[in-house]
Amino acid sequence: MRLTTAQALVRFLSRQWSERDGVERRLIEGCLGIFGHGNVAGVGQALAEQGAGARSALPYYLARNEQAMVHTAVGYARAANRLSTFACTSSIGPGATNMVTGAALATINRIPVLLLPGDVFATRVSAPVLQELEDPRSYDVTVNDTLRPVSRFFDRINRPEQLPSALLAAMRVLTDPAETGAVTLALPQDVQAEAYDWPEELFRDRVWHVPRPVPEPAALARAVRAIESARRPLIVAGGGVKYSEACEELRHFAEKHGIPVGETQAGKGALPYDHPLAAGAVGHTGTAAANALAREADLVIGIGTRYTDFTTASRTLFGGARFLNINVAAFDAAKHAGETLVADVKEALFALDAAVGRTVGAPAWRADPEWSARAARLAGEWREEIARATSGRELTQPVLLGVVNDALNDLPDGGVVVNAAGSMPGDLHRLWRPGDPDQYQVEYGYSCMGYEIAGGLGVKLARPDREVVVLVGDGSYLMMAQEIATAVQEGVKLVVVLVDNHGFASIGGLSESVGARRLGTAYRLRGDSGELDGGPLPVDLAVNAASLGADVLTARDPDGLRAALAKALAARTTTVVYVEPVPAEGPPAQAWWDVPVAEVSRLPETRAARERYEERKRDQRPYL
């Protein structure tokens, strides 16, 4: 079959499927792209020839920014439990390097995305081409090499003959739950347009089985012994629980054995928030309940978590506990010198449930009853704290989140909330009451400002049956708001709650805590003093959102927000709800976070902050 390399690529991608538990899905749902000289005559021509409409074999979506389109692919793949994703194509030069941040976000979060950046001529006949980086050490280096360290697989297709093996390797990584992340195939622009005689079997439908690795028997036996020797175990549920679709197995295991459950950002919602054993968020942004249990636990059972510094409170939280880590990735399972159980979460919980208690001759092993009862009591107290923090007559950020939470939980489908950066992820982690495991889509592995709207677009593409509410602060909005135009163009309805704090609220607080006097964290004009202490910037974000094609509503108090949300959720088009919350402190952090403070300073607040820092550093442990 004689096709160009790009035509062969597009035809191949349209025939790939993933399968898990007998359910098949398109592996590559579509292609997001921005065209330039590096891909328009190759991938662009191939998409145009096969038809780029919604009913085509590989639908095309026009994005506004290359980083944003990778975020959209990530949002889609997250909502699809990593079983389906998008391809993203760019030109060479800035189009390709714009994707680096998105690739890093995908790989850090273990989310599959396929990146197809254009590249310079493989033949070098026209070198240096427009936007080509010339490296005097080697002609083999291009800007696409910046994608190597943030990709789980990278290849450059310098000859058409190389394409089949590269494609098969790329699909393998995209469907490997332990090794997935960004996959990059760099495509020299001349090779994209070069014709070749391809074997027809390359274009047959191919189904990629997404495995559920089972526990190795000896490792399972060690895990059982670790659990049975504990009296005060605590489960830390991570994103792996949700990606494995093992929430019901987690609930059953926790109930049967009386084990309380704390949740990471990625794992939030794995257990119903009102369950007696649901202690809520754990770590620096955790609840008083979960963190109290973490400090007292004698065994931490990490399930599908990679233990970020927020989860461990920079290794100050878990005291002298031992670790048992259940993870499909051996790299994560081996952290903190823990006992390892490398397996799919659903398979691991099923095997543990059948084995725990059998070795001691009892029908079932349970944690100390007093421990389970204490967990239930602490969880109940924290739910009361949530109710206090999210109610009130002033539109503080916690109250705002409570109103949005109620609005989504009142929907028949429960809706989806999307967020990523700033002060909101911390309050969401502590205060949000998920209606189901799919409702909470907060990207906090990379905590990337600008992810919110683009990621929300991806979530909505994956879940068109659910209302998607994007929470975005003004800092993130000003970095990347333009995908509102993409949502409007595609007729994809989002509700965007735009929270205007007139600056970086989260980093402002952090700056003050480390003695940096909130420098550069408020949106102010340059004043007469020469500092950024003048009047507020004359930026109208509501008008800006309207200029991108969204309907805009404004809310000034909790009742006004309820009314605006009701109208936005009932609308058929993308709607932005603009709010200026009243500055107020939410529930205080229940655990520490290691952000180094200047060791010497003329500023008294910095010296005081350094004293507090050194005191907290003494609590850090190597978890050995």
Side-chain angles (χ1 to χ4, degrees), residues 5 40 45 128 187-188 247 339 353 373 394 432 447 455 463 487 571 586 603:
T5 301
V40 66
Q45 187 280 332
L187 303 170
C247 296
E339 196 68 69
D353 188 54
E394 288 190 314
W432 193 263
S447 185
R463 298 303 305 267
L603 301 178

Side-chain angles (χ1 to χ4, degrees), residues 264-290:
T264 70
Q265 280 279 12
K268 189 169 178 66
L271 197 66
Y273 78 91
D274 55 354
H275 192 283
L277 291 169
V282 68
H284 174 64
T285 54
T287 69

Side-chain angles (χ1 to χ4, degrees), residues 397 400-401 417-425 428 448-454 469-482 484 495-507 521 523 539 541-542 544-545 576-581:
Q397 183 162 287
L400 182 155
L401 297 182
V417 65
V418 179
N419 186 242
S423 60
M424 278 189 282
L428 283 163
C448 186
M449 296 181 70
Y451 170 87
E452 293 89 342
I453 295 171
V469 175
V470 174
L471 293 169
V472 59
D474 52 321
S476 280
Y477 180 89
L478 284 170
M479 287 189 178
M480 197 166 291
Q482 64 272 23
I484 287 176
V495 175
V496 178
V497 179
L498 173 51
V499 182
D500 193 350
N501 294 304
H502 302 284
F504 304 114
S506 174
I507 297 302
T521 61
Y523 291 152
V539 176
L541 299 183
N544 178 268
V576 172
V577 179
Y578 175 81
V579 297
E580 293 180 85

Side-chain angles (χ1 to χ4, degrees), residues 406-438:
D406 289 340
L408 285 186
N409 285 346
D410 286 342
L411 295 174
D413 60 18
V416 183
V417 65
V418 179
N419 186 242
S423 60
M424 278 189 282
D427 284 346
L428 283 163
H429 197 204
R430 295 186 191 97
L431 302 176
W432 193 263
R433 297 159 285 124
D436 61 58
D438 296 331

Side-chain angles (χ1 to χ4, degrees), residues 250-275:
L250 173 68
R251 183 194 61 78
H252 176 78
F253 186 77
E255 288 177 352
K256 180 177 178 179
H257 303 291
I259 306 175
V261 178
E263 298 168 325
T264 70
Q265 280 279 12
K268 189 169 178 66
L271 197 66
Y273 78 91
D274 55 354
H275 192 283

